[in-house]
Amino acid sequence: MSTISLPIPGAAAAGAPHEPAKRIALAQPRGFCAGVRRAIGIVERALDLHGAPVYVRKEIVHNHHIVAELEKRGARFVDSEEEVPTGAVCVFSAHGVSPAVRTSAANRRLDVIDATCPLVAKVHQSALRYARDERTILLVGHADHEEVEGVRGEAPERTLVVETEEDVERLDLPADAPVAYLTQTTLSFDETTRVVEALRRRFTDLVGPAGSDICYASQNRQNAVKTLARSNDLVLVVGSRNSSNSIRMVEVAREHGAAAHLVPDAGHLDESWLTSVSRIGISSGASAPEVLVRGLVDRLATLGYTDVEVAEGTPEDVVFSMPARLAAPGTGRVPRTSLADEAL
């Protein structure tokens, strides 16, 4: 790890000499992934070009702070495209939608801007391919998650959702059934591997993606959390309670030996978690802005945690292109925006 100097409130109030030094280790990487930056940038750019209101089907990303900030700027979040006025601008969230939603939006003559993460879109294309091959699709994920709902909608009559190894054993399919598996992109890599291994044991005619469907950002953040868990008393993951990838990070930390909690923002920090804790690891989910991490660091500084280090980790330089209609001229990218480019 490398120590960094930050303007931390309360730095002069560090613990007494006889107390263990209280320190924070910040995971690297953490926070926004390329798909989240793109999705937030799409909404901001749509507001710039079309003016308010711009309607967004579901939360653009699963983070309460981002949703609230975009609402202040004129975004209107709705549960269904049916709530969007006929002909209005409607952004589909980063989690993707089913073909039925696209048809409904077309029937309402909505001006659709698709913010689906390209990695999620890839899973949709795989589902279509396996359906054309007349295979039963075994979709590993959480049935009530928006991403799973969208992928399942590509071939609902051919798709079964499985979440655990026990679900695999309960499948009412013969061992030689032609099947294919896909996975939700924000799952725990280790847990998903166990479910896929159960599928391989269960079926003799099983195909799947050449690599993992778990997105690079989820894998990188989970690996960074494993490192934090091995060297800290407590791991705090900044993220909203409906953020699948943030929840998985908490689970990964616990599986690797650390106490761990999800913290939507600094106001949700429970000081009882800090009893006898001298070393705290902090990370954030792929949809959590850095301003919330900074708020938590500042809050902990007032409690004596003034030594802040940044862990070494996997660098990320992935950038996803914007829809052509929104990109800055000649770049293919969204112009820099305050929400999508926050940094510590």
Side-chain angles (χ1 to χ4, degrees):
M1 292 187 180
S2 58
T3 302
I4 61 171
S5 297
L6 295 173
I8 303 297
H18 66 279
E19 296 178 345
K22 293 182 176 181
R23 69 170 180 82
I24 293 170
L26 293 175
Q28 183 66 24
R30 63 184 183 276
F32 285 169
C33 64
V36 164
R37 290 183 183 276
R38 177 178 181 270
I40 295 169
I42 283 174
V43 177
E44 292 186 311
R45 185 64 171 160
L47 286 165
D48 288 343
L49 294 176
H50 298 282
V54 164
Y55 293 85
V56 184
R57 186 184 183 277
K58 306 291 188 179
E59 293 185 353
I60 185 66
V61 296
H62 286 158
N63 185 268
H64 65 286
H65 174 82
I66 294 299
V67 169
E69 288 298 311
L70 290 173
E71 284 180 329
K72 292 176 185 176
R73 302 182 188 192
R76 298 291 179 266
F77 293 89
V78 296
D79 287 330
S80 169
E81 70 286 351
E82 298 291 337
E83 300 174 49
V84 181
T86 301
V89 175
C90 179
V91 179
F92 290 158
S93 79
H95 310 102
V97 300
S98 69
V101 171
R102 296 183 185 277
T103 298
S104 174
N107 290 339
R108 296 182 60 77
R109 301 190 301 280
L110 302 183
D111 184 1
V112 170
I113 303 174
D114 192 354
T116 300
C117 173
L119 299 181
V120 174
K122 177 177 175 287
V123 180
H124 279 250
Q125 292 303 312
S126 296
L128 286 171
R129 184 174 70 254
Y130 291 139
R132 285 195 298 267
D133 293 342
E134 298 185 346
R135 289 183 175 272
T136 297
I137 300 167
L138 304 175
L139 179 55
V140 182
H142 305 294
D144 59 350
H145 193 276
E146 291 159 35
E147 180 184 329
V148 170
E149 291 174 357
V151 174
R152 181 172 52 192
E154 296 289 355
E157 73 288 348
R158 285 191 167 274
T159 304
L160 300 173
V161 178
V162 294
E163 185 172 345
T164 66
E165 295 169 82
E166 291 72 25
D167 290 340
V168 172
E169 297 306 315
R170 287 193 287 265
L171 289 169
D172 187 18
L173 294 170
D176 60 352
V179 295
Y181 75 88
L182 294 168
T183 72
Q184 181 181 332
T185 63
T186 54
L187 299 177
S188 159
F189 180 78
D190 293 338
E191 183 178 2
T192 303
T193 298
R194 291 193 291 269
V195 176
V196 172
E197 288 174 350
L199 289 172
R200 289 179 176 142
R201 292 192 299 268
R202 176 81 163 72
F203 297 103
T204 59
D205 187 8
L206 174 72
V207 297
S212 171
D213 282 336
I214 307 300
C215 89
Y216 76 93
S218 292
Q219 290 187 41
N220 288 345
R221 281 151 187 72
Q222 290 171 26
N223 289 339
V225 160
K226 292 177 186 179
T227 300
L228 290 184
R230 288 193 289 266
S231 56
N232 291 279
D233 306 313
L234 172 68
V235 172
L236 301 176
V237 176
V238 178
S240 290
R241 292 192 175 97
N242 62 338
S243 168
S244 177
N245 77 88
S246 300
I247 293 170
R248 300 291 85 74
M249 290 166 67
V250 173
E251 294 173 349
V252 166
R254 291 172 178 169
E255 289 169 0
H256 285 77
H261 299 282
L262 186 69
V263 186
D265 54 49
H268 289 80
L269 176 68
D270 186 337
E271 293 184 20
S272 69
W273 299 338
L274 308 181
T275 302
S276 300
V277 168
S278 60
R279 299 173 300 171
I280 301 175
I282 296 178
S283 189
S284 54
S287 54
E290 193 68 18
V291 65
L292 298 183
V293 175
R294 181 50 187 264
L296 180 60
V297 171
D298 288 349
R299 170 77 186 282
L300 288 168
T302 67
L303 300 173
Y305 296 86
T306 56
D307 181 4
V308 181
E309 299 176 335
V310 178
E312 295 181 0
T314 303
E316 292 181 348
D317 56 5
V318 177
V319 177
F320 292 138
S321 297
M322 297 293 293
R325 62 185 284 191
L326 300 180
T331 68
R333 299 183 180 181
V334 70
R336 290 180 66 85
T337 53
S338 58
L339 282 178
D341 290 289
E342 290 174 331
L344 185 66

